[in-house]
Structure formats: structure tokens, C-alpha cells
């Protein structure tokens, strides 16, 4: 079917209603506990409309009244908070050496975090089976808690197009895989939406919502797994690019004569500052954690070879971060994955490169920090993406009432 639009269409009544419900829901998320009068005063919606919208959100069990009242001049007001209990959002990450799952409630409270090992080189079918198995367990747990699943988003390290098809995940050896469709089949059409996205994109959403720099409008997340990718948030929004392939900073060439990269080229950032470069070998997935711990032990003991390797990887990483800072001027670049424990040794070189290579003074104000969300950032970001879609008006449950 071909559809065409001839410019902006007038928003119909249902659209306005959904938009206003989302406005009220976001206000409660950010300001709870708050009263209906607070919502009216801050959003510009009139009090009758706010009452109707709040009643709708209560019907949908997204918002609930608390016994709290606010002491101020005039009548005490019934306060509103998000209702965390009836819903759950699920995020899953599949990566070279693990599958992890996170569930959060509507208020963003963590309900569970599970992780199991996974072996890259497994086929797409085996990958889908591994994700399906962990999701089934999460869904069963949530059902026991009588929670409705708002949705599932799966993070994959690779190029994921805007339709959610994994076009290329080089470190998993996957190409043109409809993970979402396969997963829906494996879960026997579970009745909630399944989305698939790039791991760095989802981790950036997790940082924006839950991280130490939550709320930053201009933030870049850099994955430090076997691959290095960037999730880019500019002006408050995730920037995917035309087909969804933005952020492949890992394959920006730093040195034409540099080491071979998994992508078939030479001297990519990933080959010079990815985990393989840090460890000076291409470890098998099962070895990575042990090798990182050994590297940390040697660094703490002041082993000169290890310190030199980490400094060299930090310099390459700093060159990559400088490219991001010159192009995008982020407030903060968050280093994730295996970069987190290594950050004390990587950051001095990164910061020096940033000072040398960014045209704007002080690196354009760019801070480089280690993530506080750890290895679960992308899975948590999957859950964040589901909450984002609720916040932007895809509300579960209930029927919109006529105001
Ligand atoms: Zn490459």
C-alpha cells in the first residue's frame, strides 16, 4: 500500500487527547508527588481537563493517588504518583559473551537483572533461542507478580535498520536477521511489542534516563565491549541517521597502517582501542572477563608493559572521542562496558588527547566519564526505550474517556 501525505494534517481529537495524557504522565514522572493543581499550573491545561486526564491515567493504572497532602495555603490536595505495580518493561542485550535481561516498572524501579553466558559464533537461531529462553523466564516472573508487559526491546551489537532488522553484527557473525520477528515466533506472539535496536543506542537511552548524567541533552555513550560503537543523543533525542546506522565510531580509521579490524579494514578505532587492543590479543568470549581481571591486577601492581598498553589504548580512544567532540559537541561522553573498570588508566590519556585535538577550548566543555550502569546499560536501555514510548503517548490499558 502506498500512502502519501501532503504536509501537516490537523491533529484529530484522539491525537490531542493522547498527547495531553502523555504530558500529564511525564509531569507526574518528573514531579511526583504532585497535585492536580500543580499539573494545571505547570502545563497550562485547565483544571477540568487535568481532572479528566488524571482520571483516565488512574483508570489505566498508570497513576495513583497517595494519602499524602501538601501543606500550603488553601485546601489540602490529594497527591499523585506513578503507579509502579501493574506494569513491567523488559530490556535484553545479546552480546559476544553474554545475554542479559532487565525488567523495570513504570516508575523505572529495577525489578530484576539476569545474565547468562552466550557464545558468539552461535547461529542466529541459537541466539534467538537464548534470548527467547531468558525472556520467557522474565515474563513468567512478571506474570507471578501480576504485571502486564509493556514491551520488550532487544539490544544487538551491530547495524540495526530503522525497521529493527539486524543488517550486520560482525562480532556475532549475523547478517540480515529479523530477530524481532523470529523472537515473536519463538515466544508464540506474546501480545506485547518487540523492538530491536543497536546496543549503543539503547545504552545511551539508559544513560539519559537512569545514569549519573540523566537528563543531559547532548550525550554520547561509547560501548566498550568487543566492538566499540556510539549512541548519540543530541538536543535531547537519540539520533539514528537516515537508515539507522549512525554512531559507527569504532570503524573510523585512525591509522591506515594500523592493526587489522574485524570489519576487514585496518587501523579502525575498534582495532586500536577495543578490548582486543587493550588485552593485546583476540580473546575468546569466555576468556574476556578473566583477561580483563588479569590486566587490572597488573595495572594496579604497576606493571610497565600493561600501563603502556593501557596508555596507548587510551590515546586511541581519546582520538576517537575528540572526533565526536569536534563533530557533535556533547556535554558528556560516557564510557561503558569493559572500559568502566579500566577507566582510571584510560581517562588521563583520553583527556590529554581531547585537550590537544578539540578546536574549542576545554574540549568544548566535553566531560568523559565511566558509566555507573555497568554491563547492563544496553539491557536497561531497552527497558528505557519502552518507557519512552509510553511517555510519548503509547499508553497501555483503559479506554480514553470523553472529557
Ligand atoms: Zn573496522
Amino acid at each position: 500500500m502506498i500512502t502519501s501525505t501532503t504536509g501537516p494534517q490537523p491533529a484529530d481529537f484522539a491525537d490531542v487527547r493522547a498527547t495531553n495524557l502523555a504530558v500529564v504522565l511525564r509531569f507526574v514522572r518528573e514531579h511526583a508527588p504532585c497535585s492536580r493543581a500543580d499539573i494545571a499550573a505547570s502545563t497550562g491545561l485547565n483544571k477540568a481537563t487535568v481532572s479528566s486526564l488524571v482520571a483516565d491515567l488512574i483508570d489505566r493504572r498508570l497513576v495513583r493517588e497517595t494519602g499524602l497532602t501538601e501543606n500550603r495555603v488553601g485546601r489540602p490536595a490529594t497527591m499523585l504518583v506513578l503507579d509502579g505495580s501493574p506494569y513491567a518493561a523488559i530490556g535484553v542485550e545479546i552480546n559476544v559473551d553474554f545475554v542479559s535481561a532487565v525488567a523495570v516498572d513504570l516508575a523505572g524501579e529495577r525489578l530484576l537483572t539476569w545474565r547468562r553466558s552466550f557464545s558468539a559464533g552461535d547461529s542466529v537461531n541459537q541466539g534467538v533461542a537464548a534470548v527467547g529462553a531468558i525472556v520467557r523466564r522474565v515474563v513468567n516472573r512478571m506474570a507471578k507478580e501480576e504485571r502486564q508487559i509493556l514491551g520488550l526491546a532487544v539490544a544487538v551489537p551491530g547495524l540495526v535498520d530503522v525497521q529493527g532488522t539486524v543488517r550486520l553484527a560482525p562480532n556475532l557473525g549475523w547478517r540480515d536477521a529479523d530477530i524481532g520477528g523470529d523472537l515473536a515466533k519463538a515466544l508464540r506472539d506474546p501480545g506485547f511489542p518487540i523492538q530491536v535496536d543497536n546496543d549503543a543506542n539503547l545504552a545511551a537511552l539508559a544513560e539519559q534516563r537512569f545514569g549519573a548524567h540523566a537528563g543531559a541533552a547532548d550525550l554520547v555513550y561509547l560501548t566498550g565491549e568487543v566492538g566499540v560503537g556510539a549512541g548519540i543523543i543530541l538536543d535531547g533525542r537519540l539520533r539514528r541517521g537516515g537508515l539507522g546506522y549512525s554512531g559507527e565510531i569504532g570503524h573510523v580509521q585512525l591509522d591506515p597502517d594500523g592493526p587489522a579490524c574485524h570489519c576487514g579494514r585496518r587501523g579502525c578505532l575498534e582495532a586500536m582501542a577495543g578490548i582486543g587492543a587493550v588485552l593485546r590479543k583476540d580473546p575468546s568470549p569466555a576468556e574476556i572477563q578473566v583477561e580483563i581481571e588479569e590486566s587490572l591486577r597488573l595495572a594496579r601492581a604497576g606493571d610497565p608493559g600493561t600501563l603502556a598498553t593501557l596508555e596507548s589504548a587510551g590515546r586511541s580512544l581519546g582520538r576517537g572521542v575528540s572526533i565526536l567532540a569536534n563533530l557533535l559537541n556533547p556535554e558528556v561522553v560516557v564510557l561503558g562496558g569493559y572500559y568502566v573498570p579500566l577507566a582510571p588508566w584510560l581517562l588521563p590519556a583520553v583527556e590529554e588527547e581531547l585537550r590537544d585535538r578539540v578546536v574549542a577550548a576545554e574540549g568544548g566543555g566535553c566531560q568523559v566519564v565511566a558509566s555507573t550502569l555497568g554491563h547492563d546499560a544496553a539491557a536497561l536501555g531497552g527497558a528505557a526505550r519502552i518507557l519512552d514510548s509510553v511517555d510519548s503517548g503509547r499508553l497501555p490499558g483503559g479506554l480514553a474517556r470523553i472529557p
Side-chain angles (χ1 to χ4, degrees):
M1 188 180 74
I2 295 168
T3 57
S4 65
T5 50
T6 53
Q9 305 290 307
D12 69 20
F13 178 77
D15 283 344
V16 173
R17 178 87 181 162
T19 303
N20 287 342
L21 283 167
V23 165
V24 172
L25 186 67
R26 283 200 302 271
F27 185 88
V28 177
R29 181 185 294 288
E30 283 160 23
H31 298 94
C34 59
S35 68
R36 289 168 177 79
D38 297 333
I39 297 168
S42 296
T43 61
L45 296 163
N46 72 46
K47 283 185 185 170
T49 303
V50 168
S51 287
S52 159
L53 293 167
V54 166
D56 195 335
L57 293 173
I58 290 173
D59 279 357
R60 292 169 192 261
R61 300 187 65 198
L62 294 165
V63 164
R64 64 185 169 83
E65 294 180 330
T66 71
L68 290 172
T69 56
E70 206 177 43
N71 284 325
R72 61 178 162 192
V73 182
R75 271 195 313 155
T78 308
M79 304 304 272
L80 301 165
V81 293
L82 288 182
D83 189 350
S85 58
Y87 297 106
I90 307 174
V92 170
E93 174 178 12
I94 183 157
N95 215 311
V96 175
D97 52 335
F98 63 88
V99 178
S100 61
V102 166
V104 303
D105 71 12
L106 185 73
E109 290 298 318
R110 192 85 73 107
L111 301 171
L112 62 82
T113 305
W114 289 341
R115 194 178 164 102
R116 49 165 285 186
S117 61
F118 174 72
S119 165
D122 281 4
S123 66
V124 172
N125 286 345
Q126 287 165 309
V128 167
V131 173
I134 204 165
V135 170
R136 260 191 295 275
R137 285 181 54 207
V138 176
V139 169
N140 288 341
R141 170 67 69 88
M142 293 300 104
K144 276 197 192 116
E145 296 180 11
E146 299 185 343
R147 292 175 187 274
Q148 185 188 328
I149 309 294
L150 293 165
L152 162 69
V154 181
V156 178
L159 297 178
V160 181
D161 70 18
V162 286
Q163 277 80 39
T165 303
V166 178
R167 287 297 167 200
L168 179 66
N171 296 323
L172 294 173
W174 295 0
R175 193 179 275 277
D176 298 325
D178 176 17
I179 303 296
D182 291 350
L183 200 51
K185 276 187 217 126
L187 296 170
R188 299 186 182 163
D189 297 317
F192 50 77
I194 299 174
Q195 301 173 342
V196 180
D197 205 337
N198 168 267
D199 58 343
N201 284 350
L202 292 181
L205 292 180
E207 292 291 341
Q208 186 189 35
R209 186 178 278 266
F210 299 113
H213 291 258
D218 300 286
L219 176 152
V220 176
Y221 180 93
L222 271 187
T223 59
E225 305 294 345
V226 169
V228 178
I232 300 166
I233 289 171
L234 289 180
D235 302 325
R237 289 184 52 200
L238 187 63
R239 301 296 167 170
R240 300 170 183 283
L243 297 177
Y245 305 151
S246 70
E248 288 300 327
I249 187 80
H251 301 289
V252 167
Q253 190 181 54
L254 298 181
D255 179 359
D257 302 317
C261 181
H262 294 121
C263 74
R265 298 169 186 84
R266 298 202 80 84
C268 296
L269 171 63
E270 185 170 305
M272 295 182 67
I275 289 312
V278 168
L279 299 176
R280 282 178 291 182
K281 65 190 276 196
D282 225 353
S284 73
E287 290 171 337
I288 294 176
Q289 189 61 43
V290 174
E291 293 283 342
I292 292 278
E293 275 158 25
E294 176 63 5
S295 192
L296 284 169
R297 189 187 67 74
L298 290 168
R300 285 192 198 103
D303 174 65
T306 304
L307 293 177
T309 301
L310 288 172
E311 205 218 321
S312 162
R315 288 209 177 280
S316 296
L317 184 59
R319 288 173 65 189
V321 172
S322 301
I323 292 168
L324 291 169
N326 275 321
L327 276 180
L328 306 174
N329 189 211
E331 299 162 50
V332 60
V333 173
V334 183
L335 303 181
Y338 294 111
Y339 285 145
V340 174
L342 297 166
W345 292 276
L346 297 172
L347 280 177
V350 170
E351 282 159 0
E352 208 176 302
E353 292 295 313
L354 205 59
R355 276 195 299 277
D356 285 354
R357 292 176 187 274
V358 177
V359 175
E362 309 287 335
C366 176
Q367 286 183 69
V368 186
V369 301
S371 174
T372 54
L373 302 177
H375 275 290
D376 304 314
L380 184 61
R385 180 166 163 184
I386 302 300
L387 294 184
D388 284 350
S389 69
V390 173
D391 281 356
S392 59
R394 275 209 195 155
L395 304 185
L399 290 168
R401 51 172 80 196
I402 304 302

